[in-house]
Amino acid sequence: MDEGKPTKPKWWSRPRTHVPDSAPADSVSAGDGTSGFHGGDVGVDIDIDDMDGDFELEKPAGTGTGMGTGTGTGVITAAGADAGDRAGADAGPAAGQGSGEVSGGMSAPASGERLRPLHDPDPYSTPPYGGPGPWAPAPPVQHPRTTPAHGTAAVGAMTPPQPSPQPQPLPQPSPQPLPQPQPQLQDAPTEAGPAPHASAPHTPWQNYDPWAAAPFQQYDGAVAEAPGGRRGRAGRSLVLGAALLALVSGGVGGAVGAYLERTGGIDDVELPQAGVEAKGRAPDSVAGIAASALPSVVTLHVSGSDAQGTGTGFVLDRRGHILTNNHVVDPVDGSGEISVTFSGGETAKAEIVGHDSGYDLAVVKVTGVSGLRPLSLGNSDNVQVGDPVVAIGAPFDLENTVTAGIISAKERPITAGGEEGDGSDISYVDALQTDAPINPGNSGGPLVDSKARVIGINSAIRSADSGSELEGGQSGSIGLGFAIPINQGKRVAEELINTGRATHPVIGVTLDMEYSGDGARVGVKGDDDAPTVTRDGPGARAGVQAGDVITEVDGQRVHSGEELIVKTRAHRPGDRLELTLERDGDEKKVTLVLGSADGD
């Protein structure tokens, strides 16, 4: 087709000289890639490059002896021209030499004559395969070998075999061999030097390989891409699209989730809640201890002519005796009344059985009340620092309040009271210290251990602004609470119930409360010149004298007169004590038996 380009003759359409019928030729394919025509009695090598296009094979000269046999060899030298170059170089004589012996009466074509094609030149430049028509056999297919570098001899190059002409009723065109890639070889050397080689024009059919993947091919400047590349790009596009879709979906899902979390969803808000559980608790837990002790704890409301107050107490027995602090019932003063409220809400009137300001303990009794549950008593001597404790009371008239803590210290000497001015209301307590919150209204309430047994009676707190008195101010707890040991409370309660009065253990000496040195000093001179050591008292019998300084009680150091009183009242009358004395710079130990004195 004419596209406006200069027309160039194609190798398959060049006119050639017709070979006479009298010179039949047989095309023989040499094993080294060269071709030769052999006819007659002389072997003639014909350069295929000069035989572009189709040509007509002559009929055999005859049968039997008419068919000749021949052998042909082709040699390609490093400088020789390619005898089988199908591109058609018209340069000089071929370097490949062929020799053959033919018998059977066939002769080679005349020298200088060219074969005539069977058809006219194709004006449309039709490729060789597909042009001849349906009688042309399919081209042979085989895997071509790698094309060697320019100037290198192709050893063992394979050329598709040419079928030998067979007797046919009509002349048939011989199948053309598949074009094979051929190295570009130089022409035969001449005396002047090697001739430059002619490179064959490139055609799409030259490097045909049916087993190889379709390569990139370029036609008229356009690049055709192999299907694998398109599939690769399509796969990458799918992966990229999936990743982008996942990213967008995650962002949308996160935004929706955050919105639902803030707004609680699109339905009505329904908050999660635990189901109903068993109400029972371990007996040694705070809840278990409170459940066991609360039915035995009461709240006392006291009113008198001059004052009123609120305190706590606990049931001692089924006869209605209740133990509390002396300062709780003190406002009654013989003309007031006491109302007792139990944990279940029942109320009853109570009367004072006995009280003692020195121990700050009192016993009241209710009548006409059934179903009382006494609270078990423990042993304060068994208590150790760090033991868990629970305090129960009515701070600021808040009944049945439960707080928890531990034992912070033991045998802490404290004094409380002193409002009377003469010291008659001062209580001396060898107390248990606890960090369980105790506030005004807790006075007289029980301090219980992990088995809900009473180990102390809550009596005093150390406030930040009101000294050591429990009821002296309205300041709250700062973690310094004090309780009377139950061993002492039990003895005093029994005496108050049985006799209405409590007895105090005594040494039989008068102390100098103004002494500022270390220890408790026996006074030198008493009031109205009374002796400071009671005659025939426990101290006098042990050899204690006026002016002696007592530094230890049973091996425990004492630093003041208050501490000596506290240590003494921690015992019962009749108990034996060992005192360490300092007299005139000498140290002396004495033993005495405690006496008894009636309380107020």
Side-chain angles (χ1 to χ4, degrees):
M1 179 180 295
D2 186 6
E3 297 181 357
K5 299 179 181 180
T7 304
K8 180 179 180 180
K10 304 300 180 178
W11 62 269
W12 62 82
S13 61
R14 295 175 182 171
R16 293 193 169 83
T17 304
H18 178 65
V19 179
D21 293 341
S22 61
D26 184 12
S27 176
V28 179
S29 176
D32 56 358
T34 61
S35 298
F37 286 83
H38 309 284
D41 296 330
V42 178
V44 178
D45 291 336
I46 301 176
D47 188 356
I48 298 179
D49 292 339
D50 296 333
M51 295 165 40
D52 294 340
D54 298 331
F55 56 90
E56 181 180 3
L57 299 177
E58 296 294 336
K59 295 182 181 180
T63 61
T65 59
M67 297 297 294
T69 61
T71 60
T73 61
V75 179
I76 301 176
T77 64
D82 182 5
D85 185 354
R86 289 169 175 77
D90 293 336
Q97 301 296 325
S99 63
E101 297 179 359
V102 180
S103 62
M106 296 183 67
S107 61
S111 176
E113 293 183 352
R114 301 176 63 89
L115 298 178
R116 182 178 58 84
L118 299 180
H119 57 81
D120 295 332
D122 187 359
Y124 299 101
S125 303
T126 304
Y129 299 116
W135 57 84
V141 177
Q142 68 179 8
H143 201 295
R145 296 195 179 187
T146 305
T147 302
H150 294 296
T152 303
V155 181
M158 297 296 296
T159 300
Q162 298 289 342
S164 301
Q166 299 294 333
Q168 297 293 337
L170 295 176
Q172 296 294 336
S174 175
Q176 298 293 328
L178 178 67
Q180 298 296 326
Q182 296 295 334
Q184 298 178 355
L185 301 180
Q186 299 178 350
D187 293 340
T190 60
E191 294 180 358
H197 65 276
S199 59
H202 178 77
T203 62
W205 299 95
Q206 184 173 357
N207 297 328
Y208 171 71
D209 185 355
W211 288 274
F216 289 98
Q217 297 179 1
Q218 183 172 356
Y219 297 99
D220 297 332
V223 178
E225 185 180 353
R230 292 193 295 271
R231 287 196 298 269
R233 279 207 306 271
R236 287 192 296 272
S237 301
L238 290 177
V239 172
L240 181 60
L244 182 60
L245 178 61
L247 180 62
V248 173
S249 301
V252 173
V256 173
Y259 172 78
L260 294 178
E261 183 179 2
R262 289 195 306 268
T263 61
I266 59 177
D267 298 331
D268 295 338
V269 175
E270 183 175 354
L271 302 178
Q273 184 180 18
V276 178
E277 297 177 353
K279 296 183 179 180
R281 296 293 185 270
D284 58 348
S285 65
V286 174
I289 294 169
S292 178
L294 277 173
S296 303
V297 180
V298 299
T299 301
L300 284 73
H301 295 88
V302 180
S303 61
S305 59
D306 298 330
Q308 62 184 7
T310 302
T312 308
F314 57 92
V315 177
L316 291 175
D317 55 29
R318 297 184 183 277
R319 292 184 291 179
H321 292 106
I322 297 172
L323 182 63
T324 186
N325 282 136
N326 178 70
H327 68 264
V328 172
V329 300
D330 189 62
V332 174
D333 195 19
S335 61
E337 65 179 18
I338 302 172
S339 175
V340 177
T341 303
F342 294 89
S343 62
E346 302 89 350
T347 60
K349 298 297 182 178
E351 295 181 354
I352 296 176
V353 174
H355 63 91
D356 187 274
S357 60
Y359 290 114
D360 193 23
L361 291 173
V363 175
V364 300
K365 184 179 180 180
V366 295
T367 58
V369 179
S370 61
L372 296 176
R373 295 178 56 181
L375 194 58
S376 301
L377 304 181
N379 190 331
S380 55
D381 290 341
N382 296 333
V383 175
Q384 299 297 322
V385 174
D387 285 349
V389 292
V390 173
I392 303 175
F396 299 100
D397 204 14
L398 300 174
E399 302 175 356
N400 302 324
T401 298
V402 177
T403 58
I406 62 170
I407 295 296
S408 302
K410 294 177 60 177
E411 300 178 355
R412 186 74 75 187
I414 64 168
T415 59
E419 288 85 358
E420 298 298 332
D422 57 358
S424 61
D425 62 339
I426 298 177
S427 61
Y428 299 91
V429 180
D430 196 21
L432 298 173
Q433 180 180 334
T434 180
D435 67 346
I438 297 174
N439 294 283
N442 278 103
S443 294
L447 184 70
V448 299
D449 61 9
S450 60
K451 295 183 179 179
R453 300 174 302 190
V454 182
I455 58 173
I457 302 99
N458 301 321
S459 299
I461 62 172
R462 182 67 181 184
S463 300
D465 60 353
S466 64
S468 61
E469 287 188 72
L470 184 62
E471 300 297 339
Q474 294 298 311
S475 298
S477 172
I478 59 173
L480 295 174
F482 303 95
I484 301 169
I486 192 59
N487 290 7
Q488 183 177 356
K490 176 180 179 294
R491 179 182 66 81
V492 173
E494 289 172 348
E495 290 180 348
L496 294 176
I497 293 172
N498 295 327
T499 66
R501 299 181 70 89
T503 59
H504 299 171
V506 296
I507 296 175
V509 298
T510 301
L511 298 177
D512 181 5
M513 304 303 291
E514 302 295 332
Y515 177 70
S516 60
D518 190 24
R521 187 175 71 174
V522 179
V524 176
K525 188 177 182 179
D527 296 339
D528 300 332
D529 294 332
T532 55
V533 177
T534 305
R535 293 174 184 158
D536 201 24
R541 291 192 296 267
V544 177
Q545 299 177 7
D548 289 346
V549 177
I550 302 173
T551 58
E552 292 182 0
V553 175
D554 289 339
Q556 293 183 345
R557 189 75 181 183
V558 294
H559 302 283
S560 64
E562 288 84 358
E563 288 192 25
L564 179 60
I565 296 174
V566 170
K567 296 298 183 184
T568 301
R569 289 191 178 181
H571 294 79
R572 294 171 177 266
D575 288 348
R576 187 179 296 273
L577 293 181
E578 182 183 70
L579 303 179
T580 300
L581 309 175
E582 287 185 357
R583 183 186 300 165
D584 299 332
D586 297 332
E587 186 175 275
K588 183 180 179 179
K589 293 183 180 297
V590 298
T591 301
L592 56 82
V593 177
L594 293 175
S596 178
D598 293 337
D600 51 1

